[in-house]
Amino acid sequence: MRERLAVFGSPIAHSKSPSLHRTAYELLGLDWEYSSRNVSVTDLATTVAGLDNGWRGLSLTMPLKQAAFELADTRDAMATLTGAVNTLRFVGDDGARTSFGYNTDVSGITRALASVGITEAPHVHILGGGATAASAVVAAAELGALSVIVLARNPAKSRPLIDLGKRAGLAVDIRTFDTFDDVPRPELVVSTLPGRTPLPVSYPSNVLSSSALLDVAYDPWPSELAARWTDAGGVVANGLSMLAHQALIQVRIFVSNDPFQPLDDEDAVLTAMLASVGLDARGIPLAA
């Protein structure tokens, strides 16, 4: 039986995950099927329950990461810390199948930033307060952040990020978009806002030119925020780069159920995955 994998989310038509994963499995010589399916939060549990033994695992994108956390039988440390699962790996058969839940977004963020030379950031701003923001908080801790400012439309809904910050070892302050003038200048800004969202903040040119940006949204690219950063001479990490790096960790999980077990010829696999979505080895868009 050909093993099956897919990315679930809603909306899902724009997803680049099929291209990334199919490229990896072809290079690894694995005859696995990887598709995409539009699945809502309310339908996730019944949809997963209906998957037969031919299914090896799932990638989960918005808005399913918190619901997938609840579905997982066991969870890795990053999933437990963030309360978000973006990868389910199935082991066993009907009646005895176990689902392992992982969060590969944290690694995706830190690896994408490292590819453009960002390995530390004392002060970090995060735009948006959802599930990806939780991963960004933990990634900030891994980058040695002393403080994180989360800018959100509804600070009350983002308050769990304060406790998350404490568990990760750093202070998190929640602000509305119009109350961030008196906060420390960031070395890094991570935008978790959906693509095409009107910009809710306006950073001065000295911030744009001296700090780094990771814009998780990649459709369209460059985003308005990324374009402003690039025009000012700042460092920009592409959201597709994050997607590719977190997908590489997902491939490790689907192959071995171990996010720390490198793939055979992994550098070549990553390079091919990046190229499949139009990026060079540093995650920079290839020239048209």
Side-chain angles (χ1 to χ4, degrees):
M1 180 185 294
R2 189 182 190 192
E3 301 212 43
R4 301 180 66 187
L5 299 138
V7 57
F8 285 2
S10 183
I12 200 64
H14 69 287
S15 177
K16 302 295 185 182
S17 291
S19 177
L20 289 164
H21 281 264
R22 290 168 186 167
T23 296
Y25 303 136
E26 181 178 358
L27 202 59
L28 292 167
L30 297 170
D31 185 25
W32 292 354
E33 176 185 338
Y34 190 101
S35 59
S36 63
R37 188 183 299 186
N38 195 303
V39 177
S40 67
V41 171
T42 55
D43 291 338
L44 180 62
T46 55
T47 302
V48 170
L51 301 178
D52 63 28
N53 293 337
W55 285 84
R56 190 176 187 90
L58 297 171
S59 307
L60 292 311
T61 187
M62 297 304 293
L64 303 178
K65 297 177 184 181
Q66 291 167 333
F69 178 88
E70 300 298 331
L71 278 182
D73 296 313
T74 64
R75 307 169 186 93
D76 77 337
M78 285 301 179
T80 300
L81 185 58
T82 61
V85 160
N86 76 333
T87 311
L88 286 173
R89 172 71 152 83
F90 305 129
V91 176
D93 53 22
D94 290 344
R97 184 169 70 177
T98 298
S99 59
F100 293 83
Y102 296 90
N103 181 319
T104 69
D105 282 337
V106 176
S107 293
I109 291 170
T110 56
R111 289 169 62 97
L113 288 168
S115 71
V116 294
I118 305 301
T119 56
E120 59 181 25
H123 302 291
V124 178
H125 288 186
I126 298 172
L127 309 185
T132 305
S135 296
V137 167
V138 177
E142 295 200 349
L143 294 171
L146 303 174
S147 70
V148 169
I149 307 296
V150 175
L151 302 171
R153 288 188 174 84
N154 190 333
K157 290 185 177 180
S158 302
R159 288 194 63 81
L161 296 177
I162 296 175
D163 291 335
L164 171 60
K166 291 177 181 178
R167 296 195 301 273
L170 78 169
V172 174
D173 187 12
I174 312 291
R175 302 287 189 97
T176 57
F177 287 111
D178 57 354
T179 60
F180 76 106
D181 292 337
D182 60 339
V183 299
R185 179 187 298 182
E187 287 81 22
L188 170 66
V189 175
V190 180
S191 174
T192 68
L193 301 172
R196 305 181 192 277
T197 300
L199 288 184
V201 295
S202 181
Y203 284 99
S205 59
N206 62 342
V207 171
L208 300 178
S209 62
S210 63
S211 62
L213 169 73
L214 169 61
D215 193 340
V216 171
Y218 56 82
D219 184 22
W221 190 266
S223 64
E224 184 180 351
L225 192 61
R228 289 187 185 182
W229 232 270
T230 300
D231 290 345
V235 175
V236 176
N238 190 304
L240 274 177
S241 177
M242 174 197 164
L243 185 70
H245 280 284
Q246 68 82 26
L248 179 77
I249 308 302
Q250 288 185 329
V251 173
R252 288 181 181 177
I253 291 166
F254 294 146
V255 168
S256 66
N257 205 19
D258 184 352
F260 303 106
Q261 178 62 48
L263 303 167
D264 293 339
D265 203 8
E266 184 165 280
D267 288 344
V269 173
L270 176 60
T271 297
M273 292 172 72
L274 289 164
S276 75
V277 291
L279 303 178
D280 67 15
R282 295 180 63 233
I284 306 299
L286 296 166

